[in-house]
Amino acid sequence: MKRNILLHPDPRLKKTAAPVDDLSDALRDLGDDMLETMYDAPGIGLAAPQIGLLQRVIVLDCNKEENQSPRPVVMYNPEVLASSEDLNTYEEGCLSIPEQFAEVTRPAEVEVRWMDRDGTEHQEGFDGLWATCVQHEIDHLDGKLFIDYLKPLKRQMITRKMVKLKRELARG
């Protein structure tokens, strides 16, 4: 089931999400709903706080080239275990901040541990776009948005644009 995505500024996007204790059918369904919502948006990642649920759940699929098969990943309680000293800069966007983009510098490689939908623990190294995306989504779980990495003036400008967009959407 497709879910509604919260738009910045929404106070729920700035809250820390709680760990998932045990994987119920409802949490598995949440992962499926989040993937459907992400693909429909369209996006390459989505965190539960973006749909108003303060749980540590993210989904991602950075295989976007025509010759690549989709690789949907659902992560419960993801955590970065290690980060490279090497950095990468990507132009990031966010489904909660539509049509706003900015360059963000993050570690080029990260080692991440998470639980899958069956409760199996995984640990994997990510680089390139996957590394950026997983860090961006984990930030959401900690109440941090990509614009928090920007200088105050740029962040305020984007926030003002989002307030205006939300007003326009509310008017219909």
Side-chain angles (χ1 to χ4, degrees), residues 158-169:
I158 290 173
T159 298
R160 278 196 299 275
K161 286 180 181 179
M162 291 304 304
V163 168
K164 182 179 176 190
L165 173 67
K166 286 177 81 169
R167 260 198 317 266
E168 290 168 2
L169 291 173

Side-chain angles (χ1 to χ4, degrees), residues 85-97:
E85 289 185 23
D86 291 341
L87 301 174
N88 261 351
T89 301
Y90 274 95
E91 184 176 68
E92 292 189 28
C94 181
L95 296 176
S96 292
I97 310 175

Side-chain angles (χ1 to χ4, degrees), residues 41-93:
I44 60 170
L46 184 70
Q50 291 180 272
I51 58 169
L53 299 172
L54 293 175
Q55 297 178 294
R56 295 189 80 77
V57 182
I58 64 172
V59 297
L60 35 140
D61 184 352
C62 297
N63 285 359
K64 290 296 172 196
E65 302 301 319
E66 283 187 33
N67 61 344
Q68 291 180 310
S69 298
R71 184 189 171 205
V73 180
V74 181
M75 297 181 172
Y76 299 90
N77 298 331
E79 61 179 319
V80 174
L81 300 175
S83 304
S84 67
E85 289 185 23
D86 291 341
L87 301 174
N88 261 351
T89 301
Y90 274 95
E91 184 176 68
E92 292 189 28

Side-chain angles (χ1 to χ4, degrees), residues 1-7 10-20 24-35 37 46-59 75-78 96 137-143:
M1 171 180 78
K2 190 171 152 297
R3 307 280 187 113
N4 289 327
I5 298 172
L6 300 179
L7 296 179
D10 185 301
R12 293 170 285 183
L13 293 171
K14 301 303 285 178
K15 295 195 182 307
T16 302
V20 172
S24 62
D25 287 341
L27 279 170
R28 286 184 194 81
D29 290 345
L30 172 62
D32 294 340
D33 290 355
M34 288 174 61
L35 283 170
T37 302
L46 184 70
Q50 291 180 272
I51 58 169
L53 299 172
L54 293 175
Q55 297 178 294
R56 295 189 80 77
V57 182
I58 64 172
V59 297
M75 297 181 172
Y76 299 90
N77 298 331
S96 292
E137 298 311 328
I138 290 172
D139 274 355
H140 274 298
L141 302 180
D142 297 323

